[in-house]
Amino acid sequence: MSGGPYSLIDLPWLPRAAEDFRARLQAVESAGDDWTGPLRALATSALSLNQCISLTRLAQKLRRDRPSRALPAFRLGLVSNATVDFLKPMLEVAALRHGIALEICAADFGQGMQEALDPGSRINQFRPDAVLLALDHRGLPFKSAANDRWPPYDAERALADLNAMREGFRRHGGALNLVQTLPSPAELLFGSLDAAVAGSLRAAIARFNAALAEDAPRRGDLLIDVDWLAQSIGLDHWYDHRNWYIARLPFAQKALPLYADFVARVPAAMRGKARKVLVLDLDNTLWGGVIGDDGLEGIALNEGDARGEAHRAIQSMAADLRRRGVVLAVCSQ
């Protein structure tokens, strides 16, 4: 990859889009009924927003004109306190990458509560398989209406609002909810004391996330840990306040592909598309060096040796995955 290594926000595990992407897209359209494989192959690249829009338009046309059973459908309701026009094609492409055809019914801007509580609302009538509550702290009532009140921020009203939406969609639409943890704010009110002072937004969000993580599985909903995702790339890369005020984008536009891929894994797993096997090499992976050349005594695997401890950490991670049910396999020459 030219230009140095990619960071997580660039989806480094995906190949870059082909230079002849548009020509390949046209070739898929002119092909026969077996279009799912070539189209999914195009989706398995790091695509721009315009490329995602072109691909989703073609996918919708092909599903309508030449239906295929190779891609199981998933009906997703989408609620947000932000603009979702850019998010929808990114989600559809990410879902296609993971092997499902996503059909999205989005609520109007900021109308989540109305959609949830009205049995005849667009989303409830859509009868989705799940509803994605793509909300951040700006879409929930964390702050007291009284400007002189202390504490100014509190998690309880925000949790109550979210729970009312969850219950509404469950009761009127028959859907489970995909609920998100909230990223911490980029700014601090009390500096290093922010996490410890009751009433700061950071402390309220931490309380919200902890309560949601405990409550979601109890009510049969699924949690998407967006807080981890934002912190993995850094809050300064996650937030873009200029785009929030100009276009009501919930986070930086460059983070859209990563967010969409992260979210799409959940409905894909619900359709049995989760990856269940980890395939590992041996030499210079599970241990340092080539055992056929260096012998048992020459490989790096000992405690106190930096390279050896790094390979032991890989072994420990693989063992943890095995304990959670992932099959381990070896492919080595």
Side-chain angles (χ1 to χ4, degrees):
M1 295 181 181
S2 61
Y6 288 95
S7 65
L8 182 64
I9 202 170
D10 299 308
L11 281 68
W13 58 92
L14 295 178
R16 304 301 96 181
E19 292 184 2
D20 60 344
F21 173 83
R22 186 168 296 277
R24 295 189 185 193
L25 204 61
Q26 292 172 346
V28 173
E29 184 174 12
S30 61
D33 291 338
D34 187 20
W35 52 266
T36 55
L39 195 67
R40 186 178 175 187
L42 285 179
T44 310
S45 301
L47 303 180
S48 68
L49 176 60
N50 287 336
Q51 289 171 329
C52 286
I53 292 173
S54 298
L55 194 150
T56 55
R57 285 175 178 169
L58 177 59
Q60 291 166 3
K61 180 178 183 295
L62 291 173
R63 289 204 306 267
R64 182 179 62 252
D65 299 342
R66 290 176 254 168
S68 171
R69 295 184 178 180
L71 289 173
F74 192 99
R75 297 165 70 85
L76 181 71
L78 176 58
V79 167
S80 181
N81 61 299
T83 302
V84 298
D85 293 343
F86 297 156
L87 176 58
K88 288 168 62 179
M90 289 284 186
L91 281 173
E92 291 176 18
V93 167
L96 182 62
R97 181 183 307 139
H98 289 283
I100 61 173
L102 200 63
E103 301 174 21
I104 298 177
C105 178
D108 291 335
F109 178 85
Q111 296 296 303
M113 188 66 76
Q114 292 86 335
E115 285 281 329
L117 301 183
D118 179 7
S121 71
R122 185 187 311 163
I123 290 180
N124 284 328
Q125 290 298 306
F126 181 62
R127 305 301 292 181
D129 297 299
V131 177
L132 173 62
L133 301 177
L135 305 167
D136 68 3
H137 66 270
R138 292 164 294 203
L140 293 167
F142 276 97
K143 192 168 187 178
S144 169
N147 291 331
D148 58 347
R149 178 185 168 186
W150 187 269
Y153 297 100
D154 180 43
E156 300 309 318
R157 289 179 59 233
L159 284 165
D161 264 32
L162 184 68
N163 289 341
M165 279 188 262
R166 292 165 62 193
E167 181 58 31
F169 285 124
R170 188 181 298 111
R171 178 183 303 170
H172 301 307
L176 62 80
N177 299 282
L178 308 183
V179 291
Q180 301 184 164
T181 56
L182 306 181
S184 296
E187 300 81 16
L188 299 177
L189 187 62
F190 292 95
S192 294
L193 294 176
D194 219 44
V197 175
S200 71
L201 180 57
R202 179 178 172 85
I205 287 177
R207 163 82 179 96
F208 177 96
N209 287 343
L212 186 62
E214 182 179 344
D215 186 63
R218 185 166 58 222
R219 300 197 190 196
D221 290 335
L222 297 178
L223 191 72
I224 300 176
D225 196 358
V226 175
D227 179 40
W228 172 86
L229 188 69
Q231 294 194 45
S232 70
I233 64 172
L235 295 178
D236 57 330
H237 293 293
W238 179 261
Y239 286 111
D240 187 332
H241 295 304
R242 182 174 181 272
N243 278 340
W244 168 254
Y245 289 109
I246 291 176
R248 281 297 187 260
L249 295 182
F251 41 79
Q253 188 170 338
K254 62 183 179 181
L256 271 171
L258 177 64
Y259 170 83
D261 189 83
F262 192 66
V263 170
R265 297 175 191 182
V266 177
M270 294 172 65
R271 288 289 184 266
K273 300 294 184 178
R275 289 158 174 80
K276 301 176 181 178
V277 179
L278 174 64
V279 182
L280 294 160
D281 196 358
L282 297 177
D283 294 327
N284 287 316
T285 301
L286 290 184
W287 53 73
V290 179
I291 200 167
D293 297 337
D294 303 319
L296 286 174
E297 297 78 13
I299 63 173
L301 199 57
N302 295 326
E303 292 186 10
D305 172 53
R307 196 159 64 110
E309 290 185 352
H311 288 286
R312 290 170 72 94
I314 292 174
Q315 292 186 14
S316 178
M317 179 204 68
D320 287 342
L321 288 173
R322 182 179 182 275
R323 279 189 281 270
R324 60 158 281 194
V326 174
V327 175
L328 301 184
V330 168
C331 181
S332 181
Q333 294 182 346

